[in-house]
Amino acid sequence: MKVTFSPPALPKKGCLVLAMAEGPEWGASARALEKHGVDLKAAAGVHGFKGRKDETLSLLSQGKYARILLVGLGKAADITLQGIAEAGGAACAAIPAAKVAEVSALVDLPPKSKTAPADAEAHFAQGFLLRSYRFDKYFTKTPKDKRPVLNHLVLLCRDEKKARRAFAPLLAIAEGVFFTRSLVSEPANVAYPESLAKECQSMKSLGVKVDVLGPAQMKTLGMNALLGVAQGSANPPRVVSLSWKGGKGAPLAFVGKGVTFDTGGISLKPSHGMEDMKHDMAGAAAVIGTLFSLAARKAKVNAVGVVGLVENMPDGGAQRPGDVVTSMSGQTIEVINTDAEGRLVLADMLTYVQRKFKPRAVIDLATLTGAIILALGNEHAGLFSNDDKLAEQLFDAGREVEEKLWRFPLNEAYDRQVNSSIADMKNASNERVAGSIYAAQFLARFIENKTPWAHLDIAGTAWAKRDLPLTPKGAAGFGVRLLNRLVEENYES
Ligand code: BES
Ligand code: MN
Ligand code: ZN
């Protein structure tokens, strides 16, 4: 969808969206519409529209307009930029995309609002855009009248230049989210290690350095934990490093679990619902989308993204339960359960990223455990960290962009459970308790020299089971807005 910014003149026709604070607080735009013969007050009164947050009212055939949509911003005192973006999302969801090609939108902030109009307009546009995402490339038979035609959003602004400037980084972030969503949505016969690595090459045009390792190089580097996971698949693994240099000093590192399909391996998963395991590369996709956004908005930061791309399959060469592998760190791992493969992949990626890039901090994202869904459902992702400051920065960023995190404990008592009777550690325990903490504690053994590190278990949040304010049902792109906010607030010079 194209998003443009124009002077505030009311459009002559089409679909008009009007956002306002609770009351409703009729602003200048509503008054201007009255002159066009549109009595919004009467219509809102009849329908009981109050302008509550994300409340919408669709009014058909108003004066010269085919459709006017009112959308609430909520109580004047509670309005935030995130809330305005969500109202944009609500507006998008209320417009039939198969019937309306172009939408014009006005954001009427309440009097004395501390929010700058240009920021409000830019965030409204971003929210609308984020909610408009569709992954429909595989439908070949959609009837003409059901095909989406919505392709243009025009923000009517008092200062369109300012709004356009405020929107530029928000567009870069939305494009990163879309990139992530598309990678996660693709089925595993399309998105496999080699093809994902190829997708990453497109980021070169943004100034991102892209390095790809194949199995031979991985073998030389000693990445046997990752290679063990890959050995049961006909699709060879890849490790992709993406590096963006926009600032000074040691980079911030992002690491992603990129299991392009997780059958469980020899510890095979039940078939019911197994198709969801094409999402098991959502951590890697979030890292790729984040690097895309950072580069697209020319963020003043040095950042590197490393993703381990493998397919976990059970062929005759597959790794067996009980096998012992030597990870790149030199530590040995007993593979109790071949379905606890993400931590094996991440182990080597954590070692690699620390030794190669000497980062100031490492944040990994992974659809790591079913247990995190038992604990937190789909509302929060799990946060684990050895560093209170980093944990707090992430927690705050998550709250601000509504990609919420909840912190879990790590400690020596949990760490002891990771010991094996035959090797340095085992990848899973036989006790079915605290599974997400166990996995995080396993990862912690690969952090060197007290490097600040955080692990985000996004198994419950990577895929939206229902529509969310900024996310239509489906791949959420969880992590991209969160990490961009983290960087903006704490790491950009
Ligand atoms: N990819 C799964 C975790 C997962 C489960 C993600 C459900 C999304 C939805 C992971 O590789 C896995 O299989 N974890 C096991 C670990 C266990 C064998 C110790 C799990 O959570 O059951
Ligand atoms: Mn698994
Ligand atoms: Zn997995």
Side-chain angles (χ1 to χ4, degrees):
M1 192 171 57
K2 192 168 71 179
V3 179
T4 58
F5 295 83
S6 296
L10 286 173
K12 297 242 155 44
K13 57 181 172 51
C15 177
L16 185 65
V17 174
L18 184 56
M20 72 200 70
E22 190 167 325
E25 288 261 12
W26 301 112
S29 310
R31 284 194 290 280
L33 277 166
E34 259 170 34
K35 286 188 206 134
H36 283 61
V38 182
D39 189 350
L40 289 178
K41 282 176 200 156
V46 169
H47 293 278
F49 176 84
K50 296 280 190 285
R52 291 192 192 98
K53 181 151 182 300
D54 299 348
E55 181 186 2
T56 57
L57 175 63
S58 193
L59 301 166
L60 300 175
S61 310
Q62 296 295 310
K64 55 179 79 170
Y65 299 98
R67 182 187 296 269
I68 292 182
L69 182 80
L70 306 183
V71 56
L73 298 171
K75 292 204 172 67
D78 301 339
I79 293 177
T80 60
L81 290 174
Q82 169 67 21
I84 293 169
E86 289 172 4
C92 179
I95 290 168
K99 297 208 175 87
V100 178
E102 182 175 315
V103 171
S104 307
L106 286 153
V107 182
D108 263 352
L109 289 171
K112 291 188 202 145
S113 168
K114 289 199 184 75
T115 306
D119 288 334
E121 285 146 1
H123 279 79
F124 190 87
Q126 192 204 30
F128 193 105
L129 179 62
L130 283 167
R131 185 67 182 268
S132 76
Y133 177 80
R134 282 185 293 266
F135 187 81
D136 52 9
K137 63 191 273 198
Y138 294 116
F139 293 121
T140 65
K141 292 184 175 139
T142 314
K144 251 204 166 114
D145 60 337
K146 298 242 159 63
R147 270 179 226 161
V149 291
L150 179 56
N151 63 8
H152 191 185
L153 172 67
V154 188
L155 264 291
L156 304 172
C157 315
R158 265 177 269 176
D159 186 340
E160 78 271 16
K161 278 204 195 103
K162 222 170 167 182
R164 210 174 284 137
R165 225 177 302 132
F167 184 64
L170 300 179
L171 174 63
I173 291 169
E175 284 175 341
V177 172
F178 283 15
F179 193 11
T180 299
R181 286 178 183 172
S182 296
L183 295 178
V184 175
S185 302
E186 286 290 359
N189 62 328
V190 175
Y192 47 93
E194 216 176 333
S195 67
L196 282 180
K198 205 168 281 165
E199 278 293 314
C200 291
Q201 300 290 347
S202 69
M203 288 164 63
K204 279 185 176 160
S205 63
L206 292 173
V208 175
K209 189 164 173 283
V210 183
D211 285 306
V212 181
L213 304 180
Q217 290 151 302
M218 291 158 68
K219 183 94 205 127
T220 309
L221 288 162
M223 295 178 175
N224 300 308
L226 187 157
L227 286 166
V229 175
Q231 79 188 34
S233 169
N235 284 313
R238 292 286 186 272
V239 170
V240 182
S241 303
L242 304 164
S243 104
W244 166 249
K245 286 206 161 77
K248 293 188 197 82
L252 192 57
F254 304 114
V255 171
K257 167 180 173 182
V259 175
T260 60
F261 195 79
D262 181 12
T263 65
I266 295 301
S267 310
L268 195 62
K269 285 182 182 297
S271 54
H272 179 81
M274 203 203 274
E275 66 279 9
D276 289 348
M277 285 301 119
K278 72 170 185 176
H279 306 147
D280 213 18
M281 34 60 78
V287 168
I288 293 166
T290 298
L291 266 291
F292 179 99
S293 302
L294 293 175
R297 68 182 180 80
K298 298 195 166 34
K300 293 191 174 63
V301 68
N302 286 346
V304 39
V306 171
V307 296
L309 305 171
V310 306
E311 192 180 49
N312 188 21
M313 298 286 274
D315 80 4
Q319 159 161 271
R320 292 147 291 254
D323 282 5
V324 174
V325 293
T326 303
S327 66
M328 183 181 172
S329 73
Q331 301 177 95
T332 54
I333 305 167
E334 180 189 12
V335 180
I336 295 286
N337 189 320
T338 64
D339 196 13
E341 84 297 342
R343 62 201 73 177
L344 297 170
V345 174
L346 288 175
D348 281 342
M349 294 303 90
L350 289 170
T351 302
Y352 179 68
V353 82
Q354 290 170 94
R355 295 190 182 169
K356 173 143 177 121
F357 297 100
K358 312 263 179 294
R360 59 189 292 186
V362 179
I363 299 162
D364 76 72
L365 291 87
T367 48
L368 204 62
T369 66
I372 203 71
I373 310 176
L374 296 181
L376 295 172
N378 310 106
E379 306 305 324
H380 291 77
L383 163 63
F384 305 80
S385 184
N386 63 358
D387 187 282
D388 289 344
K389 192 167 152 218
L390 179 61
E392 215 163 285
Q393 290 170 346
L394 280 160
F395 182 85
D396 289 345
R399 201 167 38 185
E400 285 159 19
V401 304
E402 281 290 320
E403 291 190 340
K404 294 192 293 288
L405 305 175
W406 199 258
R407 191 171 179 189
F408 283 72
L410 293 171
N411 64 40
E412 276 168 34
Y414 288 120
D415 175 69
R416 274 196 294 278
Q417 300 177 18
V418 180
N419 291 333
S420 155
S421 56
I422 184 176
D424 295 335
M425 65 192 98
K426 55 181 191 278
N427 77 330
S429 95
N430 298 314
E431 281 164 70
R432 302 169 64 120
V433 297
S436 306
I437 299 175
Y438 185 100
Q441 207 73 65
F442 178 93
L443 297 180
R445 292 210 180 180
F446 296 87
I447 299 305
E448 301 172 350
N449 309 317
K450 301 214 161 87
T451 302
W453 159 74
H455 156 59
L456 310 183
D457 192 334
I458 61 169
T461 52
W463 190 262
K465 288 196 183 142
R466 54 182 168 84
D467 288 344
L468 301 175
L470 301 180
T471 310
K473 181 178 168 210
F478 187 97
V480 176
R481 290 185 309 114
L482 168 77
L483 295 178
N484 269 281
R485 176 59 60 98
L486 173 84
V487 170
E488 267 164 22
E489 289 198 335
N490 306 288
Y491 297 93
E492 279 192 66
S493 48

